[in-house]
Amino acid sequence: MSATNEKLAIFGGPKAITKDPGDIFKWPIITREDEEAALDVLRRGAMSRTEITKQFEQEIAEWMGMKYALAYCNGTAALLGAMWACGVGVGDEIIAPSLTYWASALPALSLGATINFADCLPDTLCIDPKDIEHRICENTKAIVVVHYCAYPAEMDEIMAIAEKHNIKVIEDVSHAQGGLYKGRMTGTIGHVAAFSLMAGKSLVAGEGGMLVTNDRDIYERAIAFGHYERTGIRTDWSSDPGSITNPELKKYAGLPLGGYKHRMHQISSAVGRVQLKYYPERIKEIQKAMNRFWDLLEGTPGIKAHRPPKDSGSTMGGWYAAAGLYRPEELDGLPIEKFCKAVTAEGFEVEPGLNFPLHLHPMLHEADVYGHGKPTVIANAKRDVRQGPGSLPVTESIPKRAFSVPWFKHDYPEIIEEYANAFRKVAEHADELKNLEIE
Ligand SMILES: *Cc1c(COP(=O)(O)O)cnc(C)c1O
């Protein structure tokens, strides 16, 4: 760790990071096999069909040990389908974290429901189970749980609350495909899970999404809502395991109840199949690399790993959007902006904060999207659940208490050491940064 004794790069010292990172950050990993799979779809004119998509669904279901998987054009659509399948409708509420990508929550608005945002835990950054129950009312239909930045959320506590109040749990696994919660795969614990397979996520199909469940009713409702061609109206599809059996849904077969078309592009399915085949071994490598990075930083003042304890049986899957926790009180109050600027000068661009807290966004206070003559967020609501500044203190503190860290895809020790050195060097020289000018 000798490099950490040098002068900070921001004051003209040598950069901690000097080596060519090579392919350590390259993602997704695309090989000839992905290319051939995509070309095969094009050459066969199979872009809009479903046979490859159904193979992909079956492989996802097998990998996760789930009964049903249903593919979508993107993760946002899968979440919308999951919400409707869980019975979310006009005048209802969902409970969701505010610290997440918007698609975990916003689809509820187009179903005529509203969102009651819950706070997060300061170390996991996932929804705080203790901030859920008091938000439940007779209109609450679902709790959306996000395994945020790959950290598995407190599923045992959340499932117990949901069971007690007879409401559904939707796991948003867009950050955590293949991660474990106390030995069980994320996405297999709630009543239904939905996730993105967008090109930036850890499990990739291109643009795409997936819904998984063991609940036949949820599965059929999701089909009925946005997968019209699978509802069994056409005889050549009627033997399909995805066909609707529920007579309440069957009578509308042939038209999507939501007026949505949620089908996945088969180039995505074909690439997704190849990506899934190599995913378990690739995330094993990511685990090794990211754990190496954080082990090197163990005990560094001011920064803390965002990962579960090693003996917990929980893991970080593919470490999507890898984050670090900032603890300025250990650095004499050094603002995160100065810390990040100094790390950036060492050779890796770090941004303070993660997703902007949703509950403070003006769209969730004012926007009249559908011409109701009042804000959409409360258009059908039985009560005004809009939340202003100060309402979710932990979530609101995250822009000053978390930052992005390098997302290594390969375990190259000499390179990872340099990146760890950059963070350690800045933390150990924090007192020199007090008078640093930042814009
Ligand atoms: C990316 C993401 C989604 C949405 O998925 P898309 O495929 O981009 O529509 C949903 N939830 C979370 C937490 C995400 O990060």
Side-chain angles (χ1 to χ4, degrees), residues 43-54:
R43 288 176 181 144
R44 285 163 46 197
M47 286 85 85
S48 276
R49 299 203 306 247
T50 56
E51 76 279 13
I52 304 165
T53 299
K54 285 175 181 171

Side-chain angles (χ1 to χ4, degrees), residues 251-268:
K251 65 181 173 189
Y252 306 121
L255 292 183
L257 292 181
Y260 292 105
K261 186 181 159 194
H262 283 159
R263 188 161 70 213
M264 181 182 277
H265 194 303
Q266 289 216 113
I267 292 183
S268 287

Side-chain angles (χ1 to χ4, degrees), residues 99 105 155 170 180 288 302-304 319 330 415 419 426:
L99 181 70
M155 291 308 294
I170 300 170
L180 299 179
K288 268 168 68 182
I303 58 179
K304 198 169 170 243
W319 290 75
E330 296 173 15
I415 292 176
Y419 284 80
V426 172

Side-chain angles (χ1 to χ4, degrees), residues 83-380:
M83 286 179 198
W84 187 81
C86 285
V88 177
V90 173
D92 291 333
E93 294 185 11
I94 65 161
I95 294 170
S98 172
L99 181 70
T100 183
Y101 180 72
W102 55 262
S104 311
L106 260 53
L109 300 180
S110 52
L111 296 171
T114 194
I115 307 152
N116 195 328
F117 289 107
D119 214 347
C120 66
L121 290 165
D123 288 348
T124 72
L125 306 179
C126 298
I127 195 166
D128 180 354
K130 293 200 181 59
D131 197 40
I132 292 176
E133 199 162 15
H134 69 99
R135 299 180 186 279
I136 294 173
C137 70
E138 57 179 2
N139 304 107
T140 307
K141 289 288 162 60
I143 303 167
V144 179
V145 178
V146 183
H147 305 291
Y148 191 67
C149 294
Y151 201 117
E154 263 64 22
M155 291 308 294
D156 286 343
E157 290 84 345
I158 295 164
M159 293 309 293
I161 296 165
E163 237 105 271
K164 182 170 154 200
H165 295 274
N166 195 26
I167 52 185
K168 302 287 190 214
V169 172
I170 300 170
E171 286 182 74
D172 181 347
V173 195
S174 301
H175 295 184
Q177 300 92 339
L180 299 179
Y181 169 75
K182 298 184 185 172
R184 288 189 289 165
M185 201 183 281
T186 54
T188 67
I189 303 162
H191 300 92
V192 58
F195 50 91
S196 175
L197 296 164
M198 180 274 259
K201 300 289 157 77
S202 49
L203 180 56
V204 170
E207 286 296 322
M210 195 64 75
L211 177 150
V212 296
T213 184
N214 282 329
D215 185 318
R216 179 83 203 175
D217 186 52
I218 289 178
Y219 177 58
E220 290 200 6
R221 282 174 63 82
I223 291 169
F225 191 68
H227 295 266
Y228 75 99
E229 83 281 5
R230 303 216 198 172
T231 54
I233 188 89
R234 308 230 324 231
T235 47
D236 56 336
W237 271 305
S238 59
S239 61
D240 195 299
S243 294
I244 303 284
T245 55
N246 178 345
E248 280 306 301
L249 300 171
K250 185 110 192 148
K251 65 181 173 189
Y252 306 121
L255 292 183
L257 292 181
Y260 292 105
K261 186 181 159 194
H262 283 159
R263 188 161 70 213
M264 181 182 277
H265 194 303
Q266 289 216 113
I267 292 183
S268 287
S269 329
V271 171
R273 291 188 66 208
V274 179
Q275 289 291 312
L276 178 63
K277 188 169 145 192
Y278 297 102
Y279 189 64
E281 68 186 58
R282 285 178 185 162
I283 65 174
K284 231 185 249 170
E285 180 82 1
I286 294 173
Q287 288 281 348
K288 268 168 68 182
M290 293 305 299
N291 278 325
R292 177 185 301 282
F293 173 75
W294 281 119
D295 288 348
L296 287 167
L297 286 169
E298 200 64 52
T300 305
I303 58 179
K304 198 169 170 243
H306 180 243
R307 61 174 172 178
K310 281 194 177 141
D311 56 0
S312 60
S314 299
T315 68
M316 297 285 281
W319 290 75
Y320 175 74
L325 306 172
Y326 188 62
R327 297 294 175 255
E329 55 276 13
E330 296 173 15
L331 298 176
D332 203 19
L334 183 74
I336 192 168
E337 293 79 9
K338 294 187 182 186
F339 179 84
C340 289
K341 204 172 171 191
V343 177
T344 299
E346 298 294 336
F348 174 76
E349 197 176 338
V350 198
E351 291 281 339
L354 301 166
N355 286 106
F356 182 82
L358 288 172
H359 70 285
L360 298 178
H361 195 284
M363 189 266 180
L364 286 152
H365 288 261
E366 299 158 19
D368 179 1
V369 182
Y370 299 108
H372 282 105
K374 53 185 164 178
T376 292
V377 72
I378 52 158
N380 308 294

